[in-house]
Amino acid sequence: MTEMELTPSKELPPLYHDSSFWGMTVTQFWGAFNDNLYKQLVLLFCAQQALQAQTSDQQGTALAVFALPFVFFSGLGGWYADRHSKRTIVIACKVAEIVIALLAMAAFFTGHLLPLLVVLGLLSTQSAMFGPAKYGILPEMLRDDDLPQANGVIQMTTFLAIIFGMASAGFVKQAFPDALWKTSYFCIAIAVIGTISSFWVRRTPVAHPGLPFRWSTLGVNAETRTLLMQDRRLLSVLLISSVFWFVGGIIQPLVNIFGIGQLHLSVSRTSLMAACMGVGISLGCVLAGRASHKRVNFKLVTIGAWGIVACLILMSGIGWWGPADGVETLKEADTSLWNSFIPQNGAEWMARSVLTLLGFFAGLFVVPLQVELQTRPPKSQKGRMIGTMNLINWVGIVLSALFFGTFTTVCNALHWPMSHVFLFLALVMLPIAVLYHPKDEVLAHSAPELSN
């Protein structure tokens, strides 16, 4: 057993000097990076296949394959996280990631979509099992009043991993256009790095030894349902978190179609608009952690909600205003990636600025909710609560895909610009901004009990 596993609870180091916290941060960063690198490679493969073979685009199928395991297995992941050591689950998931990365190499080598989708499903299943242990272990190995800053760092690095993972996919695919199986070298190396860093995570006690398996475990188990019915504050946080991910699930494809279809931007410029949103989220998460002052600061949720509403209304306004000049030459002007970093008209400048602010307010909004879901449940149910959170959030994301398809159909039929959808999303968030004002909750400074 390592020295970190034997550290007495009273001698826990400060958060930013805690090697166990940084081990978990590095582990989850590279896991999120690998998920999005591989997912984006599969999406690019689907798009390229559709263009070359003049067949239907299978990107929607790939996204569904990635999303559904989170719906079906998040509850099971929560059960495992409470029944076994979360550190053991973290390490096991990272070892599984290495095996999946090897399978990805074989799948790319075949050059067929079906094996790639099978591996994508395995990767998202591994992530669904990893999520409850990832978030559930934080309150077990850190002091409660360190959780806001810890979650700020975790959320920031997660969104940075998403951005860099998706961006890196384009570079490695360009480097190996006819040998995508070679890109798996990167996935394997990243999985190995994440596995090594997972051993720095200190051991924590099993939350609920011998927890029996029931079929309800695959959804929301009976104990968690009872807890949510008795604790309406916890239930409201869970539902609002799901609404947030529903809105976020629509915004991502909406920004793509808004940039290309309404502002007439190139693909690279549209991708940079989405990246601005990711950068804003990262900054907002860090500030939320620092501004929480050792408590669950729900004032940040209110500020974030109003900021999101205002930014969504502004995005709808940019759609009405439209690009002022230079529209017809934008696609030809992108002779290199570096040229696309400079906005060519006022609409593009405004869109990037507003999306950065939108991401910033989203970061303020989500961190306190995450901390509340970690600290409020009893110790024996933290893993299952995180599993339930993942399940409900991914239900929101799946519903967002269905709603986005409906919005696209309606807007096309009525000849409305897609920017109208930004206004609809503002109306979805408005009741939260107006009505949701719970009191802040002070977090204890006591350290968690560590296993010997």
Side-chain angles (χ1 to χ4, degrees), residues 95-138:
V95 173
E97 188 178 324
I98 297 176
V99 176
I100 294 170
L102 290 169
L103 292 175
M105 177 180 285
F108 274 124
F109 194 78
T110 67
H112 297 294
L113 179 60
L114 181 60
L116 293 174
L117 293 179
V118 170
V119 174
L120 184 63
L122 290 174
L123 185 63
S124 60
T125 300
Q126 175 264 339
S127 296
M129 301 298 291
F130 177 70
K134 161 187 167 180
Y135 285 111
I137 199 172
L138 293 181

Side-chain angles (χ1 to χ4, degrees), residues 35-240:
D35 285 355
N36 286 276
L37 171 62
Y38 183 76
K39 180 180 73 172
Q40 184 70 356
L41 284 171
V42 173
L43 292 176
L44 292 173
F45 179 89
C46 291
Q48 187 178 47
Q49 191 178 63
L51 290 172
Q52 291 178 347
Q54 296 298 309
T55 57
S56 60
D57 192 344
Q58 297 298 316
Q59 289 187 82
T61 302
L63 288 172
V65 168
F66 186 77
L68 289 177
F70 286 94
V71 175
F72 293 130
F73 297 113
S74 288
L76 184 62
W79 175 77
Y80 268 110
D82 280 340
R83 196 178 193 276
H84 303 281
S85 167
K86 293 178 178 62
R87 178 180 184 268
T88 301
I89 295 173
V90 167
I91 294 173
C93 285
K94 301 313 292 183
V95 173
E97 188 178 324
I98 297 176
V99 176
I100 294 170
L102 290 169
L103 292 175
M105 177 180 285
F108 274 124
F109 194 78
T110 67
H112 297 294
L113 179 60
L114 181 60
L116 293 174
L117 293 179
V118 170
V119 174
L120 184 63
L122 290 174
L123 185 63
S124 60
T125 300
Q126 175 264 339
S127 296
M129 301 298 291
F130 177 70
K134 161 187 167 180
Y135 285 111
I137 199 172
L138 293 181
E140 292 182 358
M141 72 178 189
L142 303 173
R143 298 180 182 89
D144 280 358
D145 59 358
D146 281 333
L147 286 174
Q149 292 191 63
N151 275 278
V153 173
I154 291 290
Q155 295 283 3
M156 177 198 72
T157 52
T158 297
F159 284 108
L160 287 177
I162 292 171
I163 296 167
F164 291 139
M166 294 181 67
S168 298
F171 287 106
V172 296
K173 186 178 183 302
Q174 186 174 341
F176 306 106
D178 299 318
L180 281 178
W181 63 272
K182 293 182 179 179
T183 62
S184 296
Y185 288 132
F186 297 95
C187 296
I188 294 169
I190 289 166
V192 170
I193 293 171
T195 302
I196 294 172
S197 64
S198 70
F199 283 94
W200 287 95
V201 178
R202 71 170 58 90
R203 191 181 300 278
T204 59
V206 178
H208 196 318
L211 177 67
F213 174 85
R214 299 183 180 89
W215 286 111
S216 61
T217 297
L218 299 177
V220 181
N221 65 86
E223 289 184 19
T224 302
R225 289 198 303 270
T226 301
L227 175 63
L228 291 172
M229 291 299 101
Q230 293 175 347
D231 191 339
R232 294 305 176 92
R233 177 179 173 125
L234 192 59
L235 177 61
S236 65
V237 170
L238 184 66
L239 294 177
I240 288 170

Side-chain angles (χ1 to χ4, degrees), residues 9 11-25 137-155 200 202 285-286 288-290 292 294 367 371 374 443 445 447-448:
S9 61
E11 298 179 11
L12 282 177
L15 179 65
Y16 293 123
H17 296 279
D18 190 341
S19 58
S20 182
F21 167 66
W22 289 115
M24 190 66 236
T25 301
I137 199 172
L138 293 181
E140 292 182 358
M141 72 178 189
L142 303 173
R143 298 180 182 89
D144 280 358
D145 59 358
D146 281 333
L147 286 174
Q149 292 191 63
N151 275 278
V153 173
I154 291 290
Q155 295 283 3
W200 287 95
R202 71 170 58 90
C285 288
V286 171
R290 290 188 173 274
S292 292
K294 302 184 184 300
V367 168
V371 175
Q374 288 175 334
L443 298 172
H445 182 63

